[in-house]
Amino acid sequence: MNRPASPAELTADIAHMDAQQLREFTASLMQQLQQQAGDLCQKQQILEQQQRELARRDEKIRFTTVENEKLKVELAYLRRIRFGKKSEKLAGIQGLLFEEAIDEDLAAVETQLSRSVPREEKQPHRQPKRQPLPPGLPHTEIRHDPANRSCPCGCALKHVRDDESEKLGYIPGTFFVEHHKRGIWACPNCERIEQAPMPPCIIDKGIATPGLLAHVLVSTYGDHLPLYRQEAIYGRAGLTIARSTLGSWVGQCGVALQPLVDALRRELLEQGVLHADETPIRILAAPKEGKKAGKGWLWTFVPGEKEAIRAVVYHFSDNRAGENARGFLDDWKGALVCDDFGGYKKGFRQGITEVGCMAHARRRFHDHWVHSE
């Protein structure tokens, strides 16, 4: 292995070099210096990139921490309202509706927190005692067995026992029970155990099938049936499903469906023409200053008639500020068909093309025509 030349040896070598050799030696040194400078610059860029990545991760950690703290405060507030002593109470049906909304919010917040907290930090969750299902309901047995019942050692697996669970399902007008049996198969030679996994479910360890959850959601938001009425309907069928359980299902389904809403919003914002409008809705809120209900706003966004998709995306806010529409549209720069509400004006100054609503424009002419007769 060649060792680097010492300064004395280099000086001696240089002393015996002619002009051409000195030029070549100098060029070689310059090339080495340039290569070292390039390597140093590349390492500096890698270091800066790593520092930026660390900064992004730190920012994400700070954001997640703040978001978790916010959710914990909201969860504590909801629990205090739902289970604590209240100096102001809502009576009768109004109180039932308010408790349903609280149960839904509690389930949604708890689900979001459980997804953001690492598994090792999660506290054991106490499951409520489940009421037995009526024995008279139709049962459907569904088996889950390994597709391959041959052990890698060459022996055939033998059935040992079944892990059983029940889920309550619903088809229009009929409840039924899905009886799941997951066979446990073992190899008599090497004692290898095989068992088919359970199919994925929306609510982990929940009793409701996707069909029943869909029925509850459609009944709640499509048919406008409050949960206390659904509880009574299920009670007449012999099923004991508490309002708090139904509210928990609705809240957890809302969290599970959020990725679909986000995906639909992304598809919507890829269209060139959108229609937008906002409408007030009455919402249940915590009793405050004698008010039993609050006011929220539902923003509706629909693609133009000739766009590639047919969809409607709703965005809820507790006020009518224009920042709600701008927050939904983000950096979208298409043509927006809307009324003359001032909340959209800032978006027009930021690159959105304003398209006046013909129905609103016609209204003024129609009013003038009616009053001029």
Side-chain angles (χ1 to χ4, degrees):
M1 183 176 179
N2 296 329
R3 63 178 181 82
S6 64
E9 292 173 340
L10 283 175
T11 303
D13 291 340
I14 292 173
H16 295 86
M17 291 181 183
D18 57 20
Q20 180 62 28
Q21 290 175 333
L22 284 173
R23 282 193 291 270
E24 293 176 354
F25 179 69
T26 303
S28 175
L29 289 178
M30 292 296 296
Q31 185 178 2
Q32 292 179 13
L33 288 173
Q34 290 176 356
Q35 183 177 358
Q36 291 176 356
D39 293 342
L40 183 61
C41 182
Q42 185 178 5
K43 291 179 180 179
Q44 182 68 24
Q45 291 176 352
I46 294 175
L47 179 61
E48 291 176 355
Q49 183 179 358
Q50 291 175 343
Q51 290 175 342
R52 288 194 296 269
E53 182 65 25
L54 287 174
R56 282 195 295 268
R57 291 183 181 180
D58 290 342
E59 182 65 25
K60 185 176 180 180
I61 291 173
R62 284 194 295 270
F63 175 80
T64 304
T65 302
V66 172
E67 188 69 16
N68 285 347
E69 291 300 322
K70 178 182 175 183
L71 288 172
K72 288 178 181 178
V73 171
E74 184 178 352
L75 181 61
Y77 171 71
L78 291 172
R79 282 176 173 167
R80 187 167 61 251
I81 293 177
R82 179 66 177 87
F83 303 110
K85 294 182 179 180
K86 299 179 282 291
S87 58
E88 299 179 3
K89 291 183 178 290
L90 295 174
I93 294 177
Q94 193 77 11
L96 297 179
L97 293 173
F98 176 70
E99 290 181 0
E100 291 176 7
I102 292 296
D103 289 332
E104 295 169 11
D105 291 343
L106 277 171
V109 172
E110 288 175 345
T111 302
Q112 289 176 325
L113 273 175
S114 66
R115 292 183 177 182
S116 61
V117 176
R119 184 175 297 273
E120 59 272 9
E121 297 181 9
K122 293 182 181 179
Q123 298 295 327
H125 183 66
R126 184 178 178 182
Q127 293 286 345
K129 187 176 180 180
R130 181 178 296 168
Q131 296 292 330
L133 297 173
L137 292 178
H139 278 61
T140 301
E141 183 174 308
I142 302 175
R143 292 205 59 86
H144 309 279
D145 290 318
N148 184 9
R149 301 181 187 178
S150 297
C151 184
C153 72
C155 295
L157 298 176
K158 291 187 177 181
H159 183 259
V160 180
R161 59 182 174 84
D162 290 328
D163 281 344
E164 301 186 18
S165 62
E166 290 184 337
K167 291 185 177 295
L168 179 64
Y170 178 82
I171 56 177
T174 306
F175 288 97
F176 63 92
V177 176
E178 288 184 355
H179 198 134
H180 292 259
K181 289 188 176 182
R182 298 171 59 217
I184 299 177
W185 298 75
C187 175
N189 184 28
C190 64
E191 299 183 354
R192 178 185 176 88
I193 300 294
E194 288 286 344
Q195 187 178 33
M198 279 289 289
C201 54
I202 297 175
I203 299 177
D204 188 28
K205 299 181 181 179
I207 193 175
T209 63
L212 179 57
L213 294 174
H215 173 68
V216 172
L217 292 177
V218 171
S219 298
T220 303
Y221 298 107
D223 301 332
H224 306 289
L225 272 177
L227 297 183
Y228 77 90
R229 290 184 180 175
Q230 295 185 52
E231 179 186 25
I233 293 172
Y234 301 148
R236 289 196 297 270
L239 296 168
T240 304
I241 306 178
R243 283 194 312 278
S244 58
T245 300
L246 294 173
S248 176
W249 290 356
V250 172
Q252 293 182 73
C253 285
V255 175
L257 290 171
Q258 188 59 46
L260 294 179
V261 177
D262 296 338
L264 188 58
R265 174 178 174 267
R266 289 193 296 269
E267 288 289 329
L268 192 78
L269 295 181
E270 291 181 0
Q271 311 308 309
V273 179
L274 294 180
H275 294 250
D277 198 8
E278 73 288 341
T279 184
I281 57 173
R282 291 175 61 83
I283 58 174
L284 292 170
K288 184 178 180 181
E289 298 178 358
K291 296 181 179 179
K292 295 184 178 180
K295 184 178 182 181
W297 289 86
L298 200 61
W299 304 74
T300 309
F301 297 89
V302 183
E305 183 179 1
K306 297 184 179 180
E307 297 302 313
I309 64 170
R310 310 304 304 158
V312 180
V313 178
Y314 297 98
H315 176 69
F316 173 80
S317 66
D318 56 4
N319 58 66
R320 201 189 181 192
E323 61 187 16
N324 296 298
R326 293 193 296 273
F328 179 89
L329 296 173
D330 199 16
D331 58 353
W332 180 76
K333 295 295 189 297
L336 185 66
V337 182
C338 60
D339 56 22
D340 200 38
F341 171 52
Y344 300 111
K345 300 300 184 183
K346 188 173 182 179
F348 300 148
R349 295 192 293 270
Q350 295 175 348
I352 297 177
T353 302
E354 180 180 8
V355 180
C357 175
M358 295 301 294
H360 286 81
R362 175 187 176 277
R363 182 183 304 167
R364 302 298 182 186
F365 290 101
H366 181 267
D367 292 344
H368 178 73
W369 173 71
V370 169
H371 290 93
S372 63
E373 288 186 342

